[in-house]
Amino acid sequence: MATDRRRAILEGAARVIARRGVRGLRMEELATEAGVSTALIYYHFKDRAGILRHTLEFISDRADRYTSDQGEGEDGSEGGSEDGDDAVRELERSLLLEFQDLPEVRENSTAWGELRASAIFEPELRGDLARATLAWIHDVADLLGGIRPTAPAPALTASAERLTALLEGLSTRWLSGALPLTHARELTKEAVAVELERLAKID
Amino acid sequence: MATDRRRAILEGAARVIARRGVRGLRMEELATEAGVSTALIYYHFKDRAGILRHTLEFISDRADRYTSDQGEGEDGSEGGSEDGDDAVRELERSLLLEFQDLPEVRENSTAWGELRASAIFEPELRGDLARATLAWIHDVADLLGGIRPTAPAPALTASAERLTALLEGLSTRWLSGALPLTHARELTKEAVAVELERLAKID
DNA sequence: GTCTATAAAGCGATAGAC
DNA sequence: GTCTATCGCTTTATAGAC
């Protein structure tokens, strides 16, 4: 079916971009990967830029899903820590999802980083990217707000901006082999702790 | 002379990469930019990958220079703040150098980000990149050590890793038009403050 | 060392059949 | 909607003269 093929192409694009980068994305390789002809790609997506745009959208939707979807192994009752310990773990979990050596995660991180980097030279990618980034920052700010409910909103936003930008920086280092996964995770956890201390001090 | 041309090509490469990205680097455009023929580029650098490698080296040397070279407008006498206030400003200055809307800075940041991103797919860039990153982290850790001399070295390193990774993340956002320069500078300054608080607490 | 000219390959995109 | 076949431009890289 039409929709199936479309999806197959987008999934293939995410894989190829993760493997070769945006700069390495070749229509023919994508066609093979998705099990279709090159012509069909153009039928569904007009041109190369169209594929990139839709792949970005596809990727960020998928990331939303694996970020929120996580089935908790815990039962629903609040254990007893009054300082929002669960909320802290929830925030850490959400951020650390980026640092797992699973194909889908690697794929998402790589493609995201690639598209972010490409946006420097391809302004038509900027709109979607900005929207997705803003949504991410907002989610993280909400999680921080759950931990420090009385902290002022601008401070929450600033912390969220730093944490997400840090994650992007660390992620690029990880993917380029400059930073071991475990170390990336440690640095992230400490960053969370450090930002929470700051928020505690402020409110 | 031979060396002049070589240098002209590298300078041209930095400019073209900043303008078009690694992905958009065309031998012919580079040749024009550097005022030489395409053949000469191959004579001096073997192939496309060779240019990228040497440009990365060129860029990070140049960044070293503008990071340390800064002629101070102040006189040499220590003003009187005992808590290393000058050292704090020195650290901030050093980090904020990345966020200036000057051609050379934009060029360096863009090219650096591009090469870092390319390294995900071109392993032969990783060695130089890792060396340059390590040197940068080390410099920042030293500046932090100047402010908190009694803090343990691993804590200094961790803070330096976070600050530099954050800078790379913010820089990409700035260059892709997702973050205004002034905001990037504010977030950086706060990040320095936050990390210094953490170090103060530890030692 | 440097250039001009060009071979050789790569790659995006479309025409036209089914 | 999907494929096969291919056009035609772009781009890397080299040959050979000076």
Side-chain angles (χ1 to χ4, degrees):
Chain A
M1 270 128 227
T3 314
D4 282 1
R5 298 294 183 124
R6 237 187 109 91
R7 191 187 177 81
I9 293 169
L10 292 174
E11 284 168 353
R15 281 194 300 274
V16 176
I17 288 175
R19 197 163 57 229
R20 309 264 188 237
V22 163
R23 81 192 81 238
L25 176 69
R26 298 289 164 258
M27 294 305 151
E28 202 165 343
E29 182 174 4
L30 171 52
T32 305
E33 180 78 28
V36 302
S37 66
T38 62
L40 193 65
I41 300 174
Y42 288 95
Y43 174 78
H44 282 296
F45 299 98
K46 181 170 166 56
D47 60 11
R48 198 175 186 284
I51 295 210
L52 295 183
R53 250 197 350 273
H54 285 93
T55 303
L56 169 57
E57 192 183 15
F58 174 75
I59 301 255
S60 53
D61 287 356
R62 195 166 65 170
D64 284 352
R65 226 165 303 131
Y66 79 59
T67 297
S68 45
D69 236 42
Q70 211 73 354
E72 301 288 307
E74 321 271 303
D75 68 307
S77 64
E78 290 295 328
S81 60
E82 63 289 276
D83 194 25
D85 250 12
D86 275 8
V88 174
R89 272 198 298 276
E90 162 71 7
L91 170 62
E92 279 183 359
R93 188 190 57 70
S94 157
L95 296 177
L96 291 175
L97 284 177
E98 306 290 317
F99 297 119
Q100 293 176 276
D101 209 346
L102 303 173
E104 188 180 334
V105 171
R106 220 174 224 278
E107 231 173 72
N108 262 27
S109 291
T110 309
W112 175 263
E114 275 288 291
L115 290 163
R116 158 89 63 207
S118 303
I120 297 178
F121 310 101
E122 297 178 47
E124 71 271 26
L125 289 175
R126 293 183 181 188
D128 290 307
L129 204 58
R131 256 185 301 284
T133 306
L134 221 60
W136 187 23
I137 291 172
H138 189 257
D139 287 349
V140 173
D142 275 356
L143 288 170
L144 288 167
I147 301 167
R148 299 270 180 258
T150 56
L156 293 173
T157 302
S159 286
E161 285 176 313
R162 274 195 297 275
L163 286 172
T164 53
L166 174 69
L167 241 65
E168 288 183 348
L170 292 175
S171 180
T172 310
R173 287 191 187 176
W174 164 45
L175 293 167
S176 66
L179 182 69
L181 206 56
T182 53
H183 196 177
R185 297 174 66 91
E186 281 165 26
L187 289 172
T188 301
K189 276 189 216 165
E190 279 185 0
V192 169
V194 166
E195 291 289 346
L196 285 176
E197 279 172 33
R198 166 175 171 270
L199 290 173
K201 204 171 216 168
I202 284 180
D203 76 1
Chain B
M1 270 126 227
T3 315
D4 282 1
R5 298 295 180 118
R6 238 187 107 91
R7 191 187 177 81
I9 293 170
L10 292 174
E11 283 168 353
R15 281 194 300 274
V16 176
I17 288 174
R19 196 162 59 229
R20 309 264 189 235
V22 164
R23 160 195 187 60
L25 176 69
R26 298 288 165 258
M27 293 305 149
E28 202 165 345
E29 182 174 4
L30 172 52
T32 305
E33 180 78 27
V36 302
S37 66
T38 62
L40 193 65
I41 299 174
Y42 287 96
Y43 174 80
H44 283 297
F45 299 99
K46 181 169 166 57
D47 60 11
R48 200 174 187 283
I51 295 209
L52 294 183
R53 245 194 357 270
H54 285 94
T55 304
L56 170 58
E57 189 183 17
F58 174 74
I59 301 253
S60 55
D61 287 356
R62 195 167 65 170
D64 283 352
R65 226 165 302 129
Y66 79 58
T67 297
S68 46
D69 237 43
Q70 211 72 352
E72 302 288 308
E74 322 270 304
D75 67 308
S77 65
E78 290 294 328
S81 60
E82 63 288 275
D83 192 26
D85 249 12
D86 276 8
V88 174
R89 272 198 298 277
E90 163 70 6
L91 171 62
E92 279 184 358
R93 187 190 58 70
S94 156
L95 296 178
L96 291 175
L97 283 177
E98 305 290 317
F99 297 119
Q100 294 176 274
D101 209 346
L102 303 173
E104 188 180 334
V105 172
R106 220 175 222 280
E107 220 176 82
N108 260 30
S109 290
T110 308
W112 174 264
E114 275 288 294
L115 290 163
R116 155 91 63 207
S118 303
I120 297 178
F121 311 99
E122 296 177 48
E124 71 271 28
L125 288 175
R126 294 185 179 185
D128 290 306
L129 204 59
R131 258 187 300 284
T133 306
L134 220 61
W136 187 24
I137 291 171
H138 191 257
D139 286 350
V140 173
D142 276 355
L143 288 170
L144 288 167
I147 301 168
R148 299 271 180 257
T150 56
L156 293 173
T157 302
S159 286
E161 286 175 314
R162 274 196 297 276
L163 286 172
T164 53
L166 174 69
L167 241 65
E168 288 183 348
L170 292 175
S171 180
T172 309
R173 287 191 186 176
W174 164 45
L175 293 168
S176 65
L179 182 69
L181 206 56
T182 53
H183 196 178
R185 296 173 68 90
E186 282 164 26
L187 289 171
T188 301
K189 275 190 217 165
E190 279 186 0
V192 169
V194 166
E195 291 289 346
L196 285 177
E197 279 172 34
R198 166 175 171 269
L199 290 172
K201 203 170 215 168
I202 284 179
D203 75 0

